[in-house]
């Protein structure tokens, strides 16, 4: 265990003033919840929620060969991303194992922002720095240059519109544009990790508190609630979104994780992990790996990460994430299971919860999909 003190976001004092329960998350002191995590979850599904995500890792890549470099370093076709758009992608090891999943924004012709998970930000920074050798591209650690505030939920467009003259109606999903929100310069991105419409606002740390307060006031009539990491986890679980360290890891390739679509073999030039990923793709065709499925508990006991999934007395998989679902009113889980047991409705599937075989229904992911 590292003995270094926890890092604090620029909103730390504000979280404490709101009575947040704080927790260590990837070396950061972050709000877990402010009151009831269930109420926070429901607020995001039905109204809007406000999150501090300043622990995420922003890495800026600039230079005339920034596009070629990112195509080499990552598995996606980043060169084809238009200015003002974003792409979900991954960075893999030479053996195809997933180092992290990322969102990459193209801010200008020769400028990108790579957003890594907090737990992997240093690993991603180190890998990009190493892979930049030989390219006319510079990799810059911008983790201290940004605070990140997200407003998520069906009421979020209306709340944000009241604070900005940026063209939110024209802002597509997975796009970003520079603008001003409550007088604060921001990169306004239409992205999120909740399954709802919403926005992530990248701002200078010294502006974070002003922006948070303005959003809080503007959102009060619409039922906006401050939200912690606990409900962020149940929201992404309902939406079937993977979490690094649970559904994704260095021991899995994107093909093992059912996300082979992010790997673009057809792009120009070689990329790190290409040969291993070609083999993984062929293996997945011939001998399907375990499949990521949804499980809905028939009882009240909650399946947790690491619990065995069983059928006919045999272990057929493992739970990667599990929690009570406020939306479904029952415990749910994501799990990797043998392909033979992955079809929705497969009978006889259960989770071994401390020695007891608890029946679960196999369902297709996601558990929840918002009405467009």
């Amino acid at each position: 265990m590292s003995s270094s003190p926890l890092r604090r976001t620029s909103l730390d004092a504000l979280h404490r003033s709101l009575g947040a329960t704080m927790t260590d998350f990837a070396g950061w002191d972050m709000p877990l919840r402010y009151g009831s995590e269930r109420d926070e979850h429901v607020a995001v599904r039905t109204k809007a929620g406000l999150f501090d995500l300043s622990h995420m890792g922003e890495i800026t890549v600039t230079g005339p060969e920034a596009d070629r470099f990112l195509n080499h370093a990552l598995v996606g076709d980043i060169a084809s991303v238009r200015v003002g758009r974003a792409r979900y992608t991954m960075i893999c090891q030479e053996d195809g194992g997933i180092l992290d999943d990322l969102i990459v924004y193209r801010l200008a012709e020769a400028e990108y922002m790579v957003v890594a998970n907090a737990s992997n930000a240093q690993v991603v920074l180190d890998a990009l720095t190493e892979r930049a050798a030989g390219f006319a591209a510079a990799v810059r650690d911008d983790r201290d240059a940004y605070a990140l505030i997200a407003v998520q939920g069906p009421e979020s467009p209306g709340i944000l519109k009241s604070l900005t003259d940026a063209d939110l109606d024209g802002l597509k999903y997975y796009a970003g544009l520079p603008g001003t929100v409550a007088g604060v310069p921001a990169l306004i991105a239409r992205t999120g990790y909740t399954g709802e419409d919403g926005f992530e606002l990248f701002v200078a740390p010294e502006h974070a508190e002003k922006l948070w307060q303005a959003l809080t006031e503007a959102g009060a009539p619409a039922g906006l609630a401050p939200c912690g990491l606990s409900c962020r986890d149940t929201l992404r679980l309902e939406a079937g979104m993977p979490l690094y360290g649970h559904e994704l890891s260095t021991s899995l390739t994107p093909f093992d994780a059912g996300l082979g679509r992010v790997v673009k073999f057809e792009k120009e030039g070689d990329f790190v992990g290409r040969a291993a990923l070609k083999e993984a793709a062929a293996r997945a065709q011939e001998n399907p790996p375990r499949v990521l499925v949804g499980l809905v508990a028939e009882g009240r006991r909650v399946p947790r990460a690491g619990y065995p999934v069983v059928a006919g007395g045999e272990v057929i998989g493992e739970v990667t994430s599990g929690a009570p679902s406020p939306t479904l009113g029952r415990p749910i889980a994501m799990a990797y299971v043998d392909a033979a047991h992955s079809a929705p409705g497969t009978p006889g599937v259960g989770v071994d919860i401390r020695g007891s075989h608890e029946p679960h229904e196999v369902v297709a992911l996601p558990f929840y999909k918002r009405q467009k």
Side-chain angles (χ1 to χ4, degrees), residues 12-31:
D12 183 78
L14 193 145
H15 298 317
R16 292 168 196 279
S17 74
L18 292 171
T21 299
M22 306 297 286
T23 189
D24 174 358
F25 185 83
W28 289 82
D29 208 10
M30 297 298 293

Side-chain angles (χ1 to χ4, degrees), residues 35 53 93 124 161 176 189 198 236 258 271 294-295 320 330 363:
L53 305 180
Q93 300 178 147
V124 173
K161 271 181 195 172
R236 70 94 196 165
F271 62 91
L295 298 174
T320 53
R330 288 157 75 189
V363 299

Side-chain angles (χ1 to χ4, degrees), residues 10-15 17 147 149 184 203-216:
S10 50
L11 293 167
D12 183 78
L14 193 145
H15 298 317
S17 74
I149 294 174
V184 169
V203 299
E206 61 268 23
H207 295 149
E209 198 163 321
K210 178 184 175 184
L211 180 57
W212 179 282
Q213 298 288 26
L215 287 162
T216 298

Side-chain angles (χ1 to χ4, degrees), residues 33-100:
R33 70 182 76 81
Y34 297 86
S36 154
E37 54 207 47
R38 187 184 184 284
D39 290 350
E40 291 170 24
H41 180 112
V42 172
V44 176
R45 283 278 177 260
T46 60
K47 296 165 186 170
L50 193 58
F51 297 84
D52 178 10
L53 305 180
S54 303
H55 60 314
M56 300 294 281
E58 295 87 6
I59 301 163
T60 302
V61 177
T62 56
E65 291 187 331
D67 52 353
R68 282 188 56 232
F69 157 59
L70 286 170
N71 264 17
H72 164 73
L74 310 179
V75 301
D77 186 358
I78 308 306
S80 68
V81 177
R82 298 197 307 277
V83 173
R85 298 306 301 265
R87 183 155 297 165
Y88 176 78
T89 187
M90 292 181 183
I91 181 167
C92 288
Q93 300 178 147
E94 198 67 70
D95 67 0
I98 302 165
L99 277 175
D100 201 12

Side-chain angles (χ1 to χ4, degrees), residues 30-211:
M30 297 298 293
L32 186 64
R33 70 182 76 81
Y34 297 86
S36 154
E37 54 207 47
R38 187 184 184 284
D39 290 350
E40 291 170 24
H41 180 112
V42 172
V44 176
R45 283 278 177 260
T46 60
K47 296 165 186 170
L50 193 58
F51 297 84
D52 178 10
L53 305 180
S54 303
H55 60 314
M56 300 294 281
E58 295 87 6
I59 301 163
T60 302
V61 177
T62 56
E65 291 187 331
D67 52 353
R68 282 188 56 232
F69 157 59
L70 286 170
N71 264 17
H72 164 73
L74 310 179
V75 301
D77 186 358
I78 308 306
S80 68
V81 177
R82 298 197 307 277
V83 173
R85 298 306 301 265
R87 183 155 297 165
Y88 176 78
T89 187
M90 292 181 183
I91 181 167
C92 288
Q93 300 178 147
E94 198 67 70
D95 67 0
I98 302 165
L99 277 175
D100 201 12
D101 61 336
L102 311 165
I103 296 180
V104 180
Y105 297 88
R106 190 168 196 166
L107 304 180
E109 197 58 41
E111 182 181 3
Y112 294 83
M113 181 168 66
V114 178
V115 182
N117 286 297
S119 55
N120 294 328
Q122 190 63 49
V123 170
V124 173
L125 178 67
D126 292 345
L128 289 176
T129 302
E130 187 183 313
R131 295 173 189 189
F135 290 92
V139 176
R140 186 174 73 232
D141 180 0
D142 269 348
R143 284 176 289 178
D144 292 335
Y146 292 103
L148 178 55
I149 294 174
V151 55
Q152 299 277 304
E155 298 289 345
S156 57
I159 293 167
L160 201 54
K161 271 181 195 172
S162 70
L163 296 172
T164 184
D165 56 7
D167 178 18
L168 298 186
D169 290 333
L171 187 64
K172 294 185 169 69
Y173 187 51
Y174 266 72
L177 84 169
T180 304
V181 182
V184 169
L187 171 67
I188 305 167
R190 199 164 205 156
T191 45
Y193 193 52
T194 61
E196 297 299 335
D197 191 10
F199 303 87
E200 295 186 325
L201 308 171
F202 296 85
V203 299
E206 61 268 23
H207 295 149
E209 198 163 321
K210 178 184 175 184
L211 180 57

Side-chain angles (χ1 to χ4, degrees), residues 309-330:
V309 182
V310 292
E314 300 288 317
V315 173
I316 56 139
E318 185 176 299
V319 172
T320 53
S321 297
S325 164
T327 305
L328 275 64
R330 288 157 75 189

Side-chain angles (χ1 to χ4, degrees), residues 202-249:
F202 296 85
V203 299
E206 61 268 23
H207 295 149
E209 198 163 321
K210 178 184 175 184
L211 180 57
W212 179 282
Q213 298 288 26
L215 287 162
T216 298
E217 288 168 27
L224 177 83
C227 293
L229 293 182
S230 186
C231 82
R232 182 170 147 89
D233 191 49
T234 52
L235 289 159
R236 70 94 196 165
L237 176 55
E238 287 185 349
M241 294 175 166
L243 175 63
Y244 195 89
H246 289 254
E247 287 72 40
L248 309 174
S249 71

